[in-house]
Amino acid sequence: MKSLLTRRRRINPVYVAFMAVSFMVGIAGALQAPTLSLFLSREVEVRPFWVGLFYTVNAIAGIVVSLLLAKRSDNRGDRRMLILFCCLMALLNALLFAFNRHYLTLITAGVFLSALASVAMPQIFALAREYADSSAREVVMFSSVMRAQLSLAWVIGPPLSFALALNYGFTTMFIVAAALFVICLALVWFALPSVPRVEQSPEVLLTQISAWKDKNVRMLFIASMMMWTCNTMYIIDMPLYISSVLGLPDRLAGLLMGTAAGLEIPAMLLAGHYVKRFGKRNMMLFAIASGVLFYLGLVLFQSRTMLMVIQIFNAVFIGIIAGIGMLYFQDLMPGRPGAATTLFTNSISTGVILAGILQGALAETWGHYSVYWMTLALSVVALGLSMRVRDV
């Protein structure tokens, strides 16, 4: 009887709502992102240069808008209302892409709506952190399970995206994404809590003002940016490397990505479970060391079997830094969960921008193999920087 009561106490409906919202927003994003380049080249009929320009402009706009909104979200207003606004912008963006094929409109209005929509996920995680703190819930495991929902969404979303786009057309795919955002709006409105702002002490407010001046925050941001640069360079280059250099089947690229995404989920959950024992800093260093081993493996091995085996290191690398990395930023910036979470997501966006530039330049000049030497070098530097970030 006591066990049953304990289980009921643990199954918090708000907790479930956070899981559902993060999964639904993740699925909606994973429906649109994988086929975007295909949509621009086939439906909008633009050259590869304009496709690349769209990604760059979109990433830069996302960084600027998210930083502005994050600063506001930590100081005033209801964070839940901001999430609702962002989901509404995501809905409008999906409808715009469903029915518009004009490149100038998409790279202006579409990018603007997309930038506003991109704030939703970091704000959901920031609200989850505030809720966990206010209700005395276990923060790390709560966040890790939420982050696992995104990985699960990215296991399901890309195959579904290609199936909808190629079999029923891009309009149908974007309409399905819009419908998912309608569900997200309903979940946020009816199920997510409004967490009151906690009055900060003068000491904490001083820490907030000078957070970026803290060398630990700066080093963690640069290290995180390098990690995500490595990951994105691998994602961009690997399908081309597999087919054109190694002469392996094209479908192997999808198998490698799906395997890594699937293994990320237990890696995240195990990290959330063991972080109290080993600490965030040690877990991060372990993850980055796994990343170094993964990129070293890409340099050394070229067989199908070994490429599959080293995905274990890739999953540990991404699974841990995606969950623990965000919490590390939040702990280094007390009282600013919105700004900290956004700084983490902006390290990802900056990494995406750098990855596109580096991968293209390296592959064009020295071939695809040079890309993996660069990822190895960047991961080693990221490990060195992370070792200098203080423990929290």
Side-chain angles (χ1 to χ4, degrees):
M1 183 68 179
K2 187 177 180 181
S3 175
L4 182 61
L5 288 173
T6 303
R7 195 178 294 116
R8 284 180 176 173
R9 207 177 297 125
R10 285 178 180 174
I11 303 174
N12 186 325
V14 177
Y15 182 96
V16 175
F18 273 112
M19 299 301 117
V21 170
S22 58
F23 178 73
M24 294 300 290
V25 173
I27 280 281
L31 268 182
Q32 298 174 88
T35 55
L36 179 58
S37 59
L38 200 62
F39 169 78
L40 291 171
S41 60
R42 291 189 181 179
E43 294 284 304
V44 186
E45 298 180 344
V46 294
R47 300 197 325 267
F49 170 79
W50 299 106
V51 174
L53 180 65
F54 187 94
Y55 276 89
T56 302
V57 172
N58 195 39
I60 293 171
I63 292 172
V64 173
V65 171
S66 61
L67 281 174
L68 293 174
L69 289 182
K71 184 177 180 181
R72 183 186 185 282
S73 74
D74 284 331
N75 296 324
R76 58 185 182 276
D78 185 345
R79 200 182 295 279
R80 188 175 69 99
M81 297 307 293
L82 177 57
I83 296 169
L84 282 168
F85 171 75
C86 293
C87 287
L88 178 60
M89 295 301 102
L91 168 61
L92 295 176
N93 185 55
L95 292 175
L96 177 67
F97 275 76
F99 299 108
N100 189 283
R101 299 294 184 270
H102 190 252
Y103 182 78
L104 188 58
T105 304
L106 295 175
I107 203 172
T108 52
V111 162
F112 178 67
L113 291 173
S114 177
L116 292 171
S118 68
V119 179
M121 190 55 75
Q123 290 300 319
I124 290 168
F125 275 97
L127 181 62
R129 175 65 185 257
E130 289 177 335
Y131 171 74
D133 288 339
S134 66
S135 59
R137 295 194 67 85
E138 215 295 303
V139 173
V140 177
M141 199 62 198
F142 184 25
S143 178
S144 296
V145 175
M146 277 186 66
R147 188 61 184 76
Q149 306 307 306
L150 288 185
S151 289
L152 181 60
W154 275 89
V155 172
I156 299 169
L160 182 60
S161 174
F162 279 98
L164 288 171
L166 299 179
N167 294 325
Y168 301 99
F170 286 96
T171 297
T172 301
M173 186 201 71
F174 284 116
I175 288 175
V176 170
L180 291 175
F181 281 119
V182 171
I183 297 172
C184 293
L185 284 166
L187 284 170
V188 174
W189 179 261
F190 292 108
L192 290 194
S194 291
V195 181
R197 288 285 188 274
V198 177
E199 196 68 32
Q200 304 294 344
S201 67
E203 291 81 8
V204 171
L205 291 174
L206 182 62
T207 303
Q208 291 182 4
I209 293 169
S210 59
W212 182 249
K213 295 180 181 177
D214 185 343
K215 67 176 183 179
N216 294 287
V217 174
R218 289 199 308 272
M219 282 192 293
L220 184 59
F221 179 86
I222 295 169
S224 181
M225 177 189 69
M226 288 182 172
M227 296 176 222
W228 292 107
T229 300
C230 293
N231 181 59
T232 308
M233 286 173 70
Y234 164 73
I235 290 172
I236 294 171
D237 193 81
M238 187 265 290
L240 302 172
Y241 177 66
I242 289 286
S243 58
S244 64
V245 177
L246 301 185
L248 296 170
D250 292 338
R251 60 185 176 85
L252 178 60
L255 186 60
L256 293 175
M257 288 185 184
T259 300
L263 291 172
E264 280 174 24
I265 297 173
M268 285 176 189
L269 298 179
L270 287 171
H273 179 73
Y274 285 107
V275 71
K276 275 191 172 180
R277 182 185 299 181
F278 299 107
K280 295 184 183 72
R281 182 175 181 273
N282 289 334
M283 293 295 289
M284 284 287 288
L285 294 177
F286 174 70
I288 303 168
S290 297
V292 172
L293 291 176
F294 172 65
Y295 296 116
L296 178 62
L298 290 174
V299 169
L300 297 177
F301 306 119
Q302 300 181 352
S303 70
R304 175 193 176 111
T305 302
M306 289 307 299
L307 290 174
M308 287 292 293
V309 168
I310 63 175
Q311 293 305 315
I312 297 171
F313 296 110
N314 190 22
V316 170
F317 174 50
I318 299 301
I320 294 178
I321 66 167
I324 303 300
M326 180 181 66
L327 295 174
Y328 207 176
F329 272 101
Q330 290 176 347
D331 287 350
L332 286 172
M333 299 169 64
R336 302 189 68 187
T341 308
T342 299
L343 196 60
F344 171 72
T345 56
N346 281 344
S347 73
I348 300 175
S349 299
T350 309
V352 171
I353 295 170
L354 289 175
I357 296 169
L358 284 173
Q359 185 275 335
L362 288 169
E364 185 77 22
T365 309
W366 291 291
H368 293 284
Y369 194 59
S370 65
V371 172
Y372 303 103
W373 278 106
M374 178 59 76
T375 57
L376 177 60
L378 288 175
S379 63
V380 170
V381 174
L383 180 61
L385 286 172
S386 298
M387 291 174 70
R388 299 178 62 191
V389 178
R390 69 179 174 87
D391 204 355
V392 285

